[in-house]
Amino acid sequence: MTAIEISHLPPKANKILSIQSHVVHGYVGNKAATFPLQTLNWDVDVLNSVNFSNHTGYGAVEGECFSGKDIQDVFSGLRSINMNYDAMLTGYIHGANTLDIVGRECMEIKRRNEQALWLLDPVMGDEGQLYVNKNVIPIYRKILRSGLVDIITPNQFELEVLLGHKIHDLQSLRQAVKHLHDVFDIKYVVISSLSLSGEQLGLKGNRSNKLYCCVSACHLQKLVFFEIDKYDSYFTGVGDLFSALLLDRVFRSHDILQSTNEVLTIMSKVYM
């Protein structure tokens, strides 16, 4: 057997706690995020918020949602073995009590390690429709008021729900993003998809059949938009994969614009 030189060994993996949904069939939530993160040299601890047969896009689903007590028991076990994390990824969480437990536990992890990167994807709905109970909305606001969330990746509808008002043009978008920075002290804001037209955003040129991703950071003086080709189809797990890849890129580069650009390029080549 040939000895392997230490210099040829891969770098030590960083630890991440991923709290999202699980489905037996399909790729959403932790099923969409875990393997890509592992290939990027993350040691992924998976905490499933639900255990479903399939994603809800099928119109029928069977399985169970884990209660706040179920999640609390898992965190108690992790504390008993002194687990610490370099990053946290929180996605779909069903129910206010469960979300409240997740929020409090993630805040505690962040307080123990201020360098841990926390990406919160407030998965609540899309295209004007909620697919969680309304009682999670004030819990998300409470978590954001902690000032401990580093990155938030809502779509336009989720941002409107969080802030309680519609975004209908560039000015209202700027006000919404400013609120996230100033009131919630969020360093990076990435609105994963905007339904506003290029004209409404003040963008020049013929941009029909496009969606937009909007990026803002505390140190930036402007909003930055990325064009996304719009397809007349239904995709699942796209946002979950996007958030996982974005967390990885930002953790390594600390450059939100470069990270978003790279992730959108990757996403354009992935079929979910």
Side-chain angles (χ1 to χ4, degrees), residues 79 141 163:
R79 277 196 304 275
R141 291 171 182 161
L163 300 183

Side-chain angles (χ1 to χ4, degrees), residues 87-196:
M88 294 172 289
L89 174 61
T90 52
Y92 178 83
I93 299 165
H94 181 88
N97 179 250
T98 305
L99 178 61
D100 190 48
I101 296 295
V102 168
R104 286 196 277 117
E105 293 290 348
C106 287
M107 290 177 206
E108 183 58 32
I109 292 172
K110 182 76 175 181
R111 292 187 181 106
R112 292 200 304 267
N113 177 14
E114 293 181 358
Q115 301 306 310
L117 184 67
W118 183 1
L119 188 152
L120 184 150
D121 184 5
V123 181
M124 293 185 288
D126 200 1
E127 297 181 350
Q129 182 176 359
L130 277 175
Y131 40 70
V132 294
N133 194 295
K134 289 183 179 180
N135 61 13
V136 303
I137 299 170
I139 306 301
Y140 271 119
R141 291 171 182 161
K142 182 175 76 170
I143 293 171
L144 294 175
R145 280 194 293 269
S146 72
L148 297 174
V149 174
D150 299 291
I151 311 172
I152 187 171
T153 57
N155 58 41
Q156 179 177 330
F157 174 68
E158 289 162 343
L159 181 57
E160 291 171 340
V161 168
L162 283 173
L163 300 183
H165 60 77
K166 291 289 186 179
I167 297 168
H168 51 81
D169 57 13
L170 182 59
Q171 182 179 355
S172 57
L173 176 63
R174 283 176 174 157
Q175 291 172 343
V177 171
K178 187 175 187 299
H179 187 94
L180 293 177
H181 288 313
D182 295 349
V183 177
F184 296 141
D185 196 26
I186 299 173
K187 187 175 183 180
Y188 301 122
V189 175
V190 180
I191 305 170
S192 57
S193 63
L194 286 164
S195 58
L196 297 178

Side-chain angles (χ1 to χ4, degrees), residues 193-211:
S193 63
L194 286 164
S195 58
L196 297 178
S197 67
E199 183 179 4
Q200 288 172 307
L201 294 172
L203 303 175
K204 298 179 181 180
N206 182 15
R207 289 177 164 86
S208 60
N209 205 34
K210 298 287 185 181
L211 293 173

Side-chain angles (χ1 to χ4, degrees), residues 8 28 36 43 51 68 115 125 130 141 143 158 205 247 264:
H8 293 166
V28 298
D43 184 2
N51 184 27
Q115 301 306 310
L130 277 175
R141 291 171 182 161
I143 293 171
E158 289 162 343
L247 184 151
L264 289 174

